[in-house]
Amino acid sequence: MTAMSASKREPHPSIEEDLDLLKVAVRDAGALALTYFNEQKLDVKKKPDGSEVSQADTAVDAALKLDLCTPRPDYGWLSEESEDTRERLDCQNVWVVDPIDGTRAFIRNVPEWTVSVALVRDEEPVLGAVYNPVTDEFFHAIKGGGAFLNDERIHIDDSKELAGSRLIASGGLFRKPVWREPWPDVETQWVNSVAYRLALVAANKAEATISLTPKSEWDIAAAALIVEEAGGCATDHAGHGFRYNQPDPRVGSVVGAPPAIHHAIIERTRHVEL
């Protein structure tokens, strides 16, 4: 390569530049999604897996792809609402996107949905943003740089025990016959968006979230980073961490919690075969 051609090469964007791009794109996507929220004539269809999708999902997906990929043409793309291609596997940087996480809630006018986007680099998220436009809660995190809610730093509270905790999970989960010993008394609530559940844990609005049903990378990549940068743990139910931009982007389960409660939960869940 000549000195002249080297000088013309575009410099690699900094993490701060990628964060600025991500925050603007996610906020704009949230504003677009809000224009469809409470819409009485949403065109809702069933996917092959039985889940629902509306024109809001596809419109937000298209807007995010335009806003994120146009200025970063060498970054890969993995989204719930886009056809997956193998090209992303050759990319060092990949946007991992759920345009509307919690579509079921969105369609039913329940304000428990989010726009969730992570930047994955070498199989690990380095940036994550989860935005609930209805409540105007904007969570974001930078690998090694902390977690934030509306630009205020958040730290997870590790002083509580499992007994008496507020868990975002199905109440019926704790009554299943798979447990070797009964769970202590806990308070449960349900939130439709997986990303929102994890973000709420990071912000100490619940002590933990547990799901023993399959998820996808786009459900957890951004929010898992937010939990970890807030000082918590986000793993599968056996305590194993996640790797992203995998050929099969599915994961079997997710547990997010402060370290002490996470350890107590994993001790109970790790023997369960899914």
Side-chain angles (χ1 to χ4, degrees):
M1 180 179 292
T2 66
M4 181 176 294
S5 61
S7 67
K8 292 182 178 179
R9 187 173 57 190
E10 290 293 327
H12 194 281
S14 68
I15 194 72
E16 292 79 14
E17 290 171 325
D18 279 340
L19 176 62
D20 289 343
L21 176 67
L22 173 65
K23 291 172 75 173
V24 170
V26 170
R27 281 200 177 274
D28 287 350
L32 175 60
L34 272 180
T35 66
Y36 291 91
F37 190 56
N38 289 324
E39 172 63 50
Q40 300 301 311
K41 296 182 180 180
L42 273 181
D43 181 18
V44 179
K45 298 177 181 178
K46 290 279 189 178
K47 297 182 187 179
D49 64 2
S51 63
E52 296 170 304
V53 63
S54 76
Q55 73 264 41
D57 297 83
T58 54
V60 174
D61 183 67
L64 282 167
K65 190 169 187 179
L66 180 66
D67 289 348
L68 293 171
C69 291
T70 301
R72 302 290 187 268
D74 58 332
Y75 286 18
W77 180 261
L78 174 63
S79 169
E80 180 175 13
E81 306 306 342
S82 297
E83 181 180 358
D84 192 12
T85 68
R86 309 288 291 187
E87 294 173 1
R88 63 178 172 83
L89 300 177
D90 297 323
C91 297
Q92 182 185 22
N93 297 287
V94 180
W95 298 112
V96 178
V97 177
D98 198 336
I100 298 179
D101 185 46
T103 297
R104 181 177 175 83
F106 182 92
I107 291 169
R108 289 158 181 79
N109 303 325
V110 178
E112 294 177 354
W113 53 273
T114 59
V115 179
S116 178
V117 183
L119 176 60
V120 167
R121 179 170 296 161
D122 297 327
E123 301 187 341
E124 293 184 346
V126 294
L127 295 174
V130 174
Y131 182 35
N132 183 330
V134 181
T135 60
D136 197 29
E137 294 170 293
F138 193 103
F139 305 85
H140 81 272
I142 311 155
K143 186 172 179 62
F148 303 82
L149 170 55
N150 294 338
D151 291 325
E152 295 290 332
R153 189 180 287 268
I154 51 178
H155 299 277
I156 213 157
D157 182 359
D158 195 30
S159 67
K160 299 181 180 180
E161 298 179 350
L162 180 58
S165 292
R166 299 162 297 169
L167 304 187
I168 304 178
S170 168
L173 173 66
F174 306 102
R175 297 189 293 271
K176 291 183 180 294
V178 298
W179 309 117
R180 291 177 176 173
E181 58 181 292
W183 284 73
D185 288 336
V186 293
E187 177 186 338
T188 62
Q189 66 179 108
W190 180 250
V191 173
N192 191 254
S193 164
V194 179
Y196 194 31
R197 296 177 213 167
L198 287 162
L200 291 172
V201 169
N204 297 308
K205 299 186 179 184
E207 273 70 71
T209 185
I210 310 171
S211 177
L212 302 186
T213 56
K215 302 291 178 279
S216 298
E217 290 184 18
W218 48 76
D219 296 315
I220 62 173
L225 178 65
I226 293 167
V227 169
E228 291 165 355
E229 286 297 323
C233 304
T235 69
D236 68 12
H237 76 289
H240 301 134
F242 301 111
R243 306 296 293 181
Y244 299 90
N245 194 30
Q246 299 300 297
D248 182 354
R250 293 174 296 180
V251 302
S253 58
V254 63
V255 176
I261 292 177
H262 182 269
H263 177 76
I265 291 172
I266 297 301
E267 285 300 301
R268 291 171 178 273
T269 58
R270 68 191 327 155
H271 74 276
V272 176
E273 295 185 8
L274 300 180

